[in-house]
Amino acid sequence: MKPVSELLKSRPGTLRIVRPEASVFEALGLLAEFEVGALVVMDGERMAGIVSERDYTRKVALAGRSSKDTRVAEIMTANVFVVSPSTRTRDCMALMREKRIRHLPVVDGGKVLGMLSIRDLLDDLIADHEMTIAQLESYIQS
Protein backbone atom coordinates (compact mmCIF):
# COMPACT_ATOMS: atom_id res chain seq x y z
CA MET A 1 0.00 0.00 0.00
CA LYS A 2 1.06 3.57 -0.58
CA PRO A 3 2.32 6.24 1.81
CA VAL A 4 -0.17 8.70 3.26
CA SER A 5 1.38 11.52 1.22
CA GLU A 6 -0.08 9.91 -1.93
CA LEU A 7 -3.59 10.01 -0.48
CA LEU A 8 -3.19 13.66 0.50
CA LYS A 9 -2.07 14.58 -3.05
CA SER A 10 -5.39 13.33 -4.38
CA ARG A 11 -7.28 15.47 -1.86
CA PRO A 12 -5.66 18.93 -1.83
CA GLY A 13 -7.16 21.62 0.39
CA THR A 14 -9.21 19.26 2.52
CA LEU A 15 -7.85 20.22 5.93
CA ARG A 16 -10.87 21.41 7.90
CA ILE A 17 -10.13 23.34 11.06
CA VAL A 18 -11.90 24.99 13.97
CA ARG A 19 -10.63 27.18 16.81
CA PRO A 20 -10.73 25.90 20.41
CA GLU A 21 -12.76 28.92 21.51
CA ALA A 22 -15.47 28.29 18.89
CA SER A 23 -18.78 26.96 20.12
CA VAL A 24 -19.61 23.32 19.55
CA PHE A 25 -22.60 24.60 17.57
CA GLU A 26 -20.20 26.35 15.16
CA ALA A 27 -18.15 23.17 14.88
CA LEU A 28 -21.29 21.16 14.09
CA GLY A 29 -22.08 23.63 11.33
CA LEU A 30 -18.62 23.11 9.83
CA LEU A 31 -18.94 19.32 10.08
CA ALA A 32 -22.22 19.54 8.16
CA GLU A 33 -20.95 22.09 5.64
CA PHE A 34 -17.87 20.05 4.75
CA GLU A 35 -19.61 16.68 5.17
CA VAL A 36 -16.86 15.35 7.44
CA GLY A 37 -16.88 13.55 10.77
CA ALA A 38 -14.06 15.47 12.48
CA LEU A 39 -12.18 18.76 12.43
CA VAL A 40 -8.63 19.60 13.45
CA VAL A 41 -8.63 22.05 16.36
CA MET A 42 -5.96 24.68 15.71
CA ASP A 43 -4.75 27.17 18.30
CA GLY A 44 -2.86 29.52 16.01
CA GLU A 45 -0.26 27.38 14.23
CA ARG A 46 -0.43 24.60 16.84
CA MET A 47 -2.73 21.59 16.68
CA ALA A 48 -4.62 21.50 19.97
CA GLY A 49 -6.60 18.35 19.15
CA ILE A 50 -9.52 17.12 17.07
CA VAL A 51 -13.25 17.35 17.59
CA SER A 52 -15.57 14.76 16.14
CA GLU A 53 -19.20 13.81 15.95
CA ARG A 54 -18.40 11.20 18.57
CA ASP A 55 -17.09 13.91 20.93
CA TYR A 56 -20.33 15.83 20.44
CA THR A 57 -22.66 12.91 21.04
CA ARG A 58 -20.85 11.65 24.13
CA LYS A 59 -19.78 14.92 25.76
CA VAL A 60 -22.58 17.31 24.83
CA ALA A 61 -25.78 15.60 23.68
CA LEU A 62 -25.74 12.71 26.16
CA ALA A 63 -24.52 14.98 28.96
CA GLY A 64 -27.44 17.36 28.43
CA ARG A 65 -25.17 20.30 27.62
CA SER A 66 -25.91 23.07 25.14
CA SER A 67 -23.84 23.08 21.94
CA LYS A 68 -24.18 26.87 21.79
CA ASP A 69 -22.80 27.35 25.31
CA THR A 70 -20.04 24.73 25.15
CA ARG A 71 -16.62 25.52 23.65
CA VAL A 72 -14.79 23.10 21.38
CA ALA A 73 -11.85 23.13 23.83
CA GLU A 74 -14.12 21.60 26.49
CA ILE A 75 -14.96 18.48 24.48
CA MET A 76 -12.15 18.00 21.96
CA THR A 77 -9.78 15.06 22.05
CA ALA A 78 -6.45 16.62 23.01
CA ASN A 79 -4.19 13.56 23.02
CA VAL A 80 -4.34 12.76 19.34
CA PHE A 81 -2.59 9.95 17.52
CA VAL A 82 -0.91 11.33 14.38
CA VAL A 83 0.95 9.90 11.41
CA SER A 84 3.62 11.29 9.11
CA PRO A 85 3.37 11.64 5.33
CA SER A 86 5.62 8.59 4.93
CA THR A 87 3.39 6.30 7.02
CA ARG A 88 1.96 3.49 4.92
CA THR A 89 -1.82 3.35 4.62
CA ARG A 90 -1.85 -0.22 5.94
CA ASP A 91 -0.07 1.00 9.11
CA CYS A 92 -2.70 3.75 9.48
CA MET A 93 -5.47 1.15 9.29
CA ALA A 94 -3.73 -0.99 11.91
CA LEU A 95 -3.37 2.03 14.24
CA MET A 96 -7.02 2.99 13.78
CA ARG A 97 -8.15 -0.54 14.49
CA GLU A 98 -5.91 -0.91 17.54
CA LYS A 99 -6.80 2.46 19.07
CA ARG A 100 -10.46 2.33 17.97
CA ILE A 101 -10.29 5.72 16.26
CA ARG A 102 -11.72 6.98 12.97
CA HIS A 103 -9.53 9.98 12.15
CA LEU A 104 -5.76 10.52 11.93
CA PRO A 105 -4.12 13.91 11.42
CA VAL A 106 -1.08 13.85 9.14
CA VAL A 107 1.72 15.93 10.64
CA ASP A 108 5.15 16.76 9.26
CA GLY A 109 7.58 18.65 11.47
CA GLY A 110 4.78 20.03 13.64
CA LYS A 111 2.77 21.23 10.62
CA VAL A 112 -0.64 19.65 10.06
CA LEU A 113 -0.92 18.62 6.41
CA GLY A 114 -4.33 16.98 6.47
CA MET A 115 -6.52 14.42 8.16
CA LEU A 116 -7.40 10.92 7.07
CA SER A 117 -10.60 9.13 7.89
CA ILE A 118 -11.18 5.41 7.99
CA ARG A 119 -13.26 5.90 4.82
CA ASP A 120 -10.25 7.39 2.99
CA LEU A 121 -8.22 4.34 3.88
CA LEU A 122 -10.96 1.88 2.96
CA ASP A 123 -11.47 3.59 -0.40
CA ASP A 124 -7.74 3.28 -1.05
CA LEU A 125 -7.72 -0.38 -0.03
CA ILE A 126 -10.67 -1.17 -2.29
CA ALA A 127 -9.05 0.63 -5.24
CA ASP A 128 -5.82 -1.27 -4.62
CA HIS A 129 -7.67 -4.60 -4.53
CA GLU A 130 -9.63 -3.76 -7.68
CA MET A 131 -6.39 -2.99 -9.51
CA THR A 132 -4.84 -6.27 -8.35
CA ILE A 133 -7.91 -8.21 -9.49
CA ALA A 134 -7.85 -6.52 -12.90
CA GLN A 135 -4.17 -7.34 -13.31
CA LEU A 136 -4.74 -10.96 -12.33
CA GLU A 137 -7.68 -11.29 -14.71
CA SER A 138 -5.58 -9.82 -17.51
CA TYR A 139 -2.76 -12.24 -16.73
CA ILE A 140 -5.12 -15.24 -16.69
CA GLN A 141 -6.72 -14.23 -20.01
CA SER A 142 -3.39 -13.79 -21.79
Side-chain angles (χ1 to χ4, degrees):
M1 296 189 84
K2 63 181 74 128
V4 167
S5 59
E6 292 298 313
L7 283 182
L8 292 180
K9 283 181 190 174
S10 66
R11 302 171 43 239
T14 57
L15 179 62
R16 308 298 186 206
I17 64 170
V18 66
R19 299 173 329 281
E21 64 273 7
S23 72
V24 171
F25 187 79
E26 290 175 71
L28 292 172
L30 292 171
L31 289 171
E33 177 183 343
F34 298 125
E35 297 180 346
V36 295
L39 303 166
V40 175
V41 181
M42 295 293 292
D43 190 5
E45 295 294 315
R46 182 185 72 83
M47 181 175 68
I50 65 172
V51 64
S52 68
E53 295 165 328
R54 186 182 282 183
D55 290 320
Y56 167 73
T57 57
R58 293 180 179 179
K59 299 172 187 172
V60 178
L62 289 175
R65 298 170 76 177
S66 164
S67 62
K68 291 184 178 181
D69 297 328
T70 305
R71 302 288 135 221
V72 167
E74 297 174 56
I75 69 159
M76 71 182 187
T77 301
N79 297 322
V80 179
F81 294 99
V82 300
V83 294
S84 74
S86 62
T87 305
R88 309 297 286 178
T89 53
R90 186 173 304 278
D91 295 330
C92 292
M93 289 185 73
L95 178 62
M96 288 177 148
R97 184 178 60 247
E98 176 188 334
K99 301 300 181 185
R100 301 179 60 96
I101 57 177
R102 297 177 187 164
H103 301 90
L104 276 175
V106 181
V107 178
D108 188 21
K111 181 176 178 167
V112 182
L113 303 178
M115 183 150 56
L116 297 175
S117 70
I118 191 71
R119 176 175 293 246
D120 298 325
L121 296 171
L122 288 173
D123 287 348
D124 181 61
L125 178 66
I126 290 167
D128 191 48
H129 285 160
E130 287 174 346
M131 184 176 70
T132 300
I133 290 167
Q135 289 172 342
L136 289 171
E137 287 175 341
S138 176
Y139 175 75
I140 290 170
Q141 293 173 357
S142 61

